[in-house]
Amino acid sequence: MAVGAALGLLTRQVLATLPKPVQIALTVVAAYASYLLADRIGASGLLAVIALSLILGSAYQPTTHHQVHRFWRQLGFAMSSVVFLLVGLQVHLDQVVRVAGRLLLLVAVVMLARALMVTLVTLARSDLWPWSWRAALVWAGLRGALSLALALALPADLAGHDEILALTFGFVFLSLVVQGLSTGPVFRLLGISRQTAVATVH
């Protein structure tokens, strides 16, 4: 993360002197550079990129920030598709079936951990966080390309590599299919809508 933070601070200083199109291009260069540099020295490239993005996130004017956000959102969608494709080529259905028991246990543990975290974070302001909102936060915690990218970044000769990849793929698949497709009905069951959210906030 130190690599990404250092490169983020350096990039932030340079951004102010550049036109908007070059600023967007520089964020791409900085992201790749932080990943490759961190990976070269044996650190986590993904964590370096996350640190970089946290620092650069507030470095833009509102209009430029919107353009950068739109660019990275579109690029992120494309890259997420590539990540899912790569995992799909490496993980076979029979591998996921073999770890089904551990996969269900993993899902249960993660859901319990998320419920505990949501409870602790919202405990101080329980008046602003009704139980229905807390339940919605727990259920809506989807996992996606980042988890898969972390699994893909593991060395191929790591003990249990295939099992980790199968568990990650299965977990993300269940998260997107089960939680993703049921989020709307669950929210309606909890009585949460756009109108109730606005009314609660105000």
Side-chain angles (χ1 to χ4, degrees):
M1 292 188 71
V3 173
L7 194 56
L9 292 173
L10 177 62
T11 305
R12 185 172 181 143
Q13 297 299 318
V14 177
L15 284 175
T17 64
L18 300 174
K20 292 179 182 179
V22 181
Q23 289 184 16
I24 296 176
L26 183 59
T27 61
V28 178
V29 174
Y32 275 100
S34 61
Y35 182 94
L36 294 175
L37 183 58
D39 187 65
R40 177 63 63 90
I41 64 176
S44 172
L46 285 173
L47 291 179
V49 174
I50 292 173
L52 174 82
S53 64
L54 290 174
I55 293 175
L56 294 184
S58 58
Y60 302 96
Q61 297 296 326
T63 54
T64 306
H65 185 275
H66 175 71
Q67 294 176 353
V68 172
H69 177 71
R70 183 173 59 182
F71 169 80
W72 277 103
R73 183 174 56 189
Q74 294 172 347
L75 183 61
F77 177 79
M79 292 299 100
S80 295
S81 301
V82 172
V83 169
F84 276 97
L85 177 62
L86 290 174
V87 173
L89 292 174
Q90 295 189 40
V91 178
H92 300 287
L93 183 60
D94 60 321
Q95 292 177 286
V96 180
V97 172
R98 282 200 299 268
V99 298
R102 279 166 288 181
L103 175 59
L104 293 177
L105 178 61
L106 175 64
V107 171
V109 170
V110 171
M111 291 295 289
L112 287 174
R114 183 172 177 83
L116 177 61
M117 183 60 65
V118 168
T119 301
L120 291 176
V121 170
T122 59
L123 192 60
R125 295 303 306 271
S126 57
D127 56 319
L128 295 178
W129 294 95
W131 72 268
S132 57
W133 280 36
R134 298 179 190 181
L137 283 175
V138 173
W139 188 254
L142 305 181
R143 304 307 191 278
L146 181 58
S147 301
L148 294 175
L150 287 169
L152 285 173
L154 295 174
D157 57 351
L158 179 70
H161 174 271
D162 293 342
E163 182 177 332
I164 293 173
L165 201 56
L167 284 170
T168 305
F169 176 79
F171 185 83
V172 170
F173 179 81
L174 288 177
S175 174
L176 294 177
V177 173
V178 178
Q179 291 174 258
L181 294 179
S182 63
T183 295
V186 168
F187 275 34
R188 287 192 293 272
L189 182 64
L190 294 172
I192 298 176
S193 64
R194 187 184 300 272
Q195 289 74 22
T196 58
V198 172
T200 303
V201 171
H202 292 286

